[in-house]
Amino acid sequence: MPVYFAREAPKLWRKICIEASIEVSLLAENWKFVLAGLVFQYIHGLAAHGVHYLHRPGPTLQDVGFLLIPELGEDKAYMSETIFVFIFCSFVLWTFHPFFFQNKRIYTILLWCRILAYLGACQILRIMTFYATQLPGPNYHCREGSKLATLPPPDSALEVIFINFPWGVIYGCGDLIFSSHVIFTLVFVLTYKKYGTIRYLKQFAWLLALIQSLLIIASRKHYTVDVVVAWYTVNLTVFFLDKKLPELPDRSSSSASPRLLP
């Protein structure tokens, strides 16, 4: 066994170096798109934090999902987050598999350009929606009587710019319609559905997305409408963007140089 690893390690390192050189050249061509996508993630976080200043707690709205799905309780709210972290980390690791495996269909940088485009389009719609109407948050820290349900006017611009990280992200209120967690999950699942190769993992990913959505409702982090709107909005947004964006090169069927995004 030690002899095997000693023989294969240089091959793996050489493969990583070759792939890294390819991806660096792609990054040099597409860095503006990557930077814009990352900056917009911050803008989305800033907008979500800003709407917290407008949030006014009130009685929880009548919700069919709340009637049908038993409440997990505040002590089990971690369950939906656990699934989300698993999906997020698994997907990010998968996007870097060309560095380590021989069989590959994608270029990591080009794929992330596409993912950031999906996320940005969905988040623009989300920002417009939750600023248009602020609903009383159903989450425990957003309910009447909670000190975290409302925010006093900021003492300085820095308080807004830094989003009171990380508490401003963890304990946000008001950014309800539609669920950001479901946006990320469905974008990742749809991307793997299109560019992944293992069929049963695609089916498992859809199952995890469904379970996570139910757990979000059960933990009262979102109303059912927030989850339902996310499901059809993300699917439609990705569908129409796929019609507009150039298709990614398939590395498994062609050795031609990759076509860059416009």
Side-chain angles (χ1 to χ4, degrees), residues 14-28:
R14 185 165 59 251
K15 185 184 301 180
I16 293 173
C17 291
I18 293 174
E19 191 67 29
S21 66
I22 296 173
E23 295 293 348
V24 167
S25 65
L26 290 174
L27 181 60

Side-chain angles (χ1 to χ4, degrees), residues 31 35 45 81 97 106-108 122 125 159 176 178 183 224 226 231 259:
W31 67 270
L35 181 60
E81 296 296 332
H97 80 271
I106 62 168
Y107 292 95
T108 301
C122 292
L125 297 175
E159 183 179 332
L176 290 173
F178 39 96
I183 289 177
T224 305
D226 308 336
W231 269 84
R259 178 175 55 182

Side-chain angles (χ1 to χ4, degrees), residues 34-130:
V34 176
L35 181 60
L38 294 176
V39 168
F40 192 79
Q41 293 308 300
Y42 166 74
I43 294 174
H44 172 253
L46 190 65
H49 181 62
V51 80
H52 195 165
Y53 291 101
L54 305 177
H55 177 255
R56 294 295 178 266
T60 302
L61 302 180
Q62 182 174 335
D63 189 286
V64 173
F66 290 2
L67 296 176
L68 298 177
I69 303 175
E71 186 172 353
L72 286 176
E74 192 170 2
D75 59 325
K76 296 180 181 178
Y78 67 89
M79 295 176 67
S80 64
E81 296 296 332
T82 301
I83 292 182
F84 176 75
V85 170
F86 174 76
I87 294 173
F88 188 94
C89 294
S90 300
F91 180 80
V92 171
L93 288 174
W94 171 76
T95 63
F96 286 92
H97 80 271
F99 286 83
F100 307 99
F101 296 97
Q102 191 66 34
N103 296 328
K104 46 200 171 189
R105 292 184 57 191
I106 62 168
Y107 292 95
T108 301
I109 291 298
L110 296 185
L111 184 69
W112 274 106
C113 285
R114 203 175 192 90
I115 293 167
L116 290 171
Y118 293 154
L119 291 175
C122 292
Q123 289 165 343
I124 289 173
L125 297 175
R126 181 174 191 258
I127 292 170
M128 294 169 57
T129 306
F130 65 63

Side-chain angles (χ1 to χ4, degrees), residues 52 55-61 66 71-74 136-150 172-173 217-223:
H52 195 165
H55 177 255
R56 294 295 178 266
T60 302
L61 302 180
F66 290 2
E71 186 172 353
L72 286 176
E74 192 170 2
N139 209 337
Y140 301 101
H141 65 268
C142 299
R143 298 178 183 179
E144 292 177 309
S146 172
K147 296 180 180 179
L148 301 174
T150 57
C173 296
I217 299 171
S219 57
R220 304 305 188 247
K221 294 177 181 177
H222 277 279
Y223 292 108

